[in-house]
Amino acid sequence: MIKVNNLSFTYPRASSPVLQNLNFEISEGEIFGFLGPSGAGKSTTQKILYKILHNFTGEIHIKDKPLGQWGKEYFEQIGVGFELPNHYLKLTGKENLALFASFYNKNRLLKVTDLFEMVGLQDSIHKKVETYSKGMKMRLNFIRAIMNDPDILFFDEPTAGLDPVNGHKIKEYIVNLKNQGKTIFITTHDMTTADEICDRVAFIVDGKLRVTEAPSTLKFRHGENQVKVEAKGKQPAKFPLEHLGQNAGFLEFISTNELLRINTMEATLEEVFIQVTGKALKA
Amino acid sequence: MKQLLKVSTADFKLIFRDPSLRIFLFLPALIFLVINIFLPYLISKFEGVNEYVSYVLIVATIENTQMFGFIYSMVLIEEKETEVARVYGVLPVSKMWFVLFRLIIPCLITALLTWAILLIQPFYSLAIMPSLVFSILSGLIVPVYVLGITVLSRNKMQGMIWIKIFNIAVVLPIVAFFVPDSFTHVFGILPSHWAFQGLSDIIDGGSFFVNAIIGFAYFLILLTVAVRKFSKIHFV
């Protein structure tokens, strides 16, 4: 669906490139996460992909067609969820959505009232956006991004600044979209979000991609190949995963103690990021 | 066309729902009152004012352009500040045409109001068509003014400063009528100068075509530059 080869980009008047030779592909129906600290080039990459920034070098193909050959019809195919809520505050939620909806082809437009209902904003549809909370504005951002039923969606830090309840809702909506076959490209520095919803993630630091892989694979590869067993009144014990069922020590431990929990020793995505890039995300 | 109407409707809702912008919609009414009631009263009391009527009329018509100039500058700067502008950047619409179409309505309303001021004022019997041509020319001040201020301003505070500067720049060419003839067109660097001179020609009953052609050409060049610059930075 999206193919990026040797993508580099330098902002005008900047001395060094913000993106250097990025290579990645995103398949149809996949959630792909771009992870990295602030200023790593995540949003810049998205802006290039949704044709706000030009003058890049390298090749980008969207649906097997070079990005440069797409005209304004490209924007019928994509939806963009911005990092911050950006609405006309003096207009109502419905007026905001109806205004932007008027630019799209009618055939693919989703019904405004259905969209508000989907994200639980039906009671606020006629209220001015200035009365909305941040969580409500972000949900409005979300339904604006999907109102044209796009095939490809870009979300920039979709859960940033949201409370856990609203963050969870947004994640659920994104996974639902994936289940409908949409291709989704998110940027985030929230490892938990990435771990929960992304099929694959790419680590980007200082404009360079360090690794691209499924979160589970990364966590497994960079973790310890052991299980940690905790029992009441005992020091936690570790046993190798290999031939665990035949491990006499393990079998004795679990049969003679009151167990509290058994965990695999896979790394967290954040630990993997630090191992791979040598940098902490929230630095 | 439907999109243009939707955006214009939304723009007017934004203007009417913001008291600080709504108040500016009364500016043309104030200008009508000054030209049709206050100025005749002033002339009846002080006969010497009579020789300055044409200048007052010229300034009044140009001031009329400030209404939508100010209002739309504020609307677009707020759009930039709140990042709503970025949403337009990812819509299936040509950015340059969108900018042009969006400013057509304020440009047209300004031109019509200016035309009305010229036809209703009690001092001169001005020809209808030349007045219309001049009104359209002065209407072009609005998009150039709005785009210029929005490109130069990052926020409303900066916007207010640039509005002051632009206001002075728009009215400054009136000085051209008070300097020796050889210096008149020094003010031609400011586009409103050509509108001022055109209206002066119409009031004097002379040919306004040269000033009108230079004015239209100059405004169209400025408009092209402003639209390109605006399209490059407003939606990012």
Side-chain angles (χ1 to χ4, degrees):
Chain A
M1 187 64 98
I2 299 173
K3 280 184 191 170
V4 175
N5 292 316
N6 296 318
L7 173 64
S8 296
F9 181 78
T10 306
Y11 279 105
R13 290 189 283 277
S15 55
S16 55
V18 66
L19 301 177
Q20 297 178 55
N21 296 313
L22 302 192
N23 291 285
F24 62 92
E25 286 186 21
I26 308 177
S27 308
E28 189 173 349
E30 181 180 29
I31 302 180
F32 185 80
F34 236 37
L35 311 187
S38 300
K42 305 186 298 288
S43 300
T44 301
T45 308
Q46 279 203 343
K47 283 181 182 175
I48 291 170
L49 288 176
Y50 54 72
K51 294 195 78 172
I52 282 290
L53 293 178
H54 306 278
N55 300 326
F56 58 87
T57 60
E59 289 179 5
I60 299 174
H61 285 80
I62 308 286
K63 292 186 169 181
D64 297 324
K65 186 172 163 181
L67 185 62
Q69 287 181 19
W70 283 96
K72 63 180 184 182
E73 76 282 2
Y74 178 59
F75 298 102
E76 295 278 3
Q77 318 261 336
I78 68 165
V80 179
F82 295 93
E83 179 182 1
L84 296 172
N86 46 356
H87 310 284
Y88 287 117
L89 301 179
K90 300 274 181 201
L91 300 184
T92 66
K94 188 179 182 183
E95 285 169 342
N96 264 282
L97 229 56
L99 169 63
F100 295 115
S102 67
F103 290 87
Y104 290 105
N105 186 334
K106 283 255 173 311
N107 299 333
R108 289 188 69 162
L109 273 179
L110 304 176
K111 210 173 158 194
V112 169
T113 46
D114 291 347
L115 288 166
F116 275 84
E117 203 165 316
M118 184 185 116
V119 295
L121 288 177
Q122 64 273 24
D123 294 336
S124 305
I125 188 167
H126 297 299
K127 287 182 184 163
K128 285 185 189 169
V129 174
E130 64 189 358
T131 65
Y132 283 26
S133 67
K134 185 177 179 189
M136 292 162 79
K137 287 176 189 166
M138 284 306 286
R139 280 182 274 162
L140 189 58
N141 259 25
F142 182 81
I143 56 176
R144 186 181 60 206
I146 65 168
M147 69 181 170
N148 56 320
D149 194 21
D151 298 327
I152 303 169
L153 281 143
F154 298 96
F155 291 110
D156 192 3
E157 303 282 1
T159 56
L162 291 180
D163 60 76
V165 174
N166 280 309
H168 180 73
K169 280 180 187 167
I170 293 286
K171 283 186 268 190
E172 269 188 352
Y173 302 143
I174 293 175
V175 172
N176 282 341
L177 289 168
K178 167 199 154 71
N179 294 337
Q180 291 166 32
K182 310 292 185 192
T183 304
I184 299 163
F185 182 8
I186 70 166
T187 69
T188 183
H189 61 261
D190 180 350
M191 289 294 172
T192 314
T193 298
D195 195 7
E196 283 173 16
I197 67 174
C198 291
D199 296 307
R200 284 187 309 136
V201 293
F203 292 165
I204 181 169
V205 176
D206 299 332
K208 292 177 189 163
L209 276 189
R210 299 297 175 87
V211 68
T212 305
E213 198 59 85
S216 55
T217 310
L218 285 172
K219 288 190 294 183
F220 183 75
R221 188 185 299 156
H222 291 269
E224 293 176 49
N225 217 5
Q226 302 185 96
V227 289
K228 182 179 170 186
V229 187
E230 292 175 61
K232 200 171 184 180
K234 288 274 183 180
Q235 285 293 315
K238 291 179 182 176
F239 301 95
L241 265 173
E242 201 174 3
H243 309 302
L244 187 64
Q246 286 85 50
N247 186 321
F250 171 73
L251 294 173
E252 188 193 341
F253 191 93
I254 61 170
S255 57
T256 56
N257 290 298
E258 188 180 340
L259 296 183
L260 295 173
R261 61 183 69 88
I262 303 176
N263 291 322
T264 54
M265 298 285 288
E266 63 186 16
T268 65
L269 207 50
E270 185 149 11
E271 287 166 346
V272 178
F273 187 88
I274 293 166
Q275 279 182 40
V276 171
T277 66
K279 297 197 177 191
L281 260 181
K282 288 168 188 170
Chain B
M1 191 62 188
K2 196 182 162 199
Q3 290 161 359
L4 172 63
L5 285 174
K6 278 263 184 192
V7 175
S8 293
T9 307
D11 283 343
F12 276 89
K13 280 180 183 167
L14 291 170
I15 293 164
F16 277 103
R17 290 174 191 179
D18 186 335
S20 62
L21 297 182
R22 194 169 53 213
I23 194 83
F24 265 81
L25 293 173
F26 293 102
L27 183 63
L30 192 66
I31 292 171
F32 270 88
L33 286 177
V34 167
I35 295 296
N36 292 290
I37 295 171
F38 182 66
L39 196 55
Y41 169 77
L42 212 58
I43 291 168
S44 70
K45 293 285 178 193
F46 310 99
E47 207 174 308
V49 175
N50 217 357
E51 61 184 288
Y52 297 103
V53 166
S54 62
Y55 306 130
V56 174
L57 189 60
I58 290 169
V59 170
T61 53
I62 297 300
E63 276 298 316
N64 181 48
T65 64
Q66 310 285 293
M67 174 183 70
F68 276 122
F70 175 84
I71 289 174
Y72 265 76
S73 297
M74 285 293 127
V75 168
L76 291 184
I77 291 170
E78 175 148 334
E79 203 170 276
K80 193 195 265 190
E81 269 190 307
T82 55
E83 298 195 359
V84 178
R86 292 181 64 193
V87 184
Y88 288 107
V90 294
L91 292 177
V93 61
S94 155
K95 310 304 174 260
M96 292 225 274
W97 282 113
F98 169 71
V99 175
L100 273 178
F101 276 119
R102 189 162 181 197
L103 292 172
I104 277 179
I105 298 287
C107 181
L108 278 179
I109 295 176
T110 301
L112 288 174
L113 286 169
T114 303
W115 200 31
I117 289 171
L118 291 177
L119 296 182
I120 293 169
Q121 51 76 31
F123 309 107
Y124 307 102
S125 177
L126 301 177
I128 290 177
M129 284 317 288
S131 302
L132 178 61
V133 171
F134 164 78
S135 301
I136 294 169
L137 181 60
S138 64
L140 285 175
I141 291 174
V142 174
V144 172
Y145 179 108
V146 169
L147 295 175
I149 287 168
T150 314
V151 163
L152 292 167
S153 313
R154 285 186 186 163
N155 52 49
K156 281 186 176 173
M157 192 59 84
Q158 286 185 4
M160 293 301 288
I161 294 166
W162 281 111
I163 283 170
K164 293 276 180 208
I165 294 168
F166 271 58
N167 284 353
I168 294 168
V170 167
V171 181
L172 192 62
I174 195 68
V175 178
F177 294 106
F178 301 97
V179 297
D181 286 352
S182 53
F183 290 102
T184 299
H185 291 310
V186 168
F187 294 90
I189 190 84
L190 300 167
S192 54
H193 168 78
W194 303 102
F196 278 38
Q197 295 297 320
L199 181 56
S200 178
D201 290 341
I202 294 168
I203 290 170
D204 294 341
S207 169
F208 66 98
F209 282 109
V210 174
N211 286 319
I213 288 167
I214 296 172
F216 274 110
Y218 196 6
F219 271 114
L220 290 178
I221 290 167
L222 287 176
L223 197 54
T224 307
V225 173
V227 168
R228 280 177 183 274
K229 189 78 183 162
F230 181 89
S231 303
K232 270 188 185 171
I233 62 173
H234 191 66
F235 306 109
V236 177

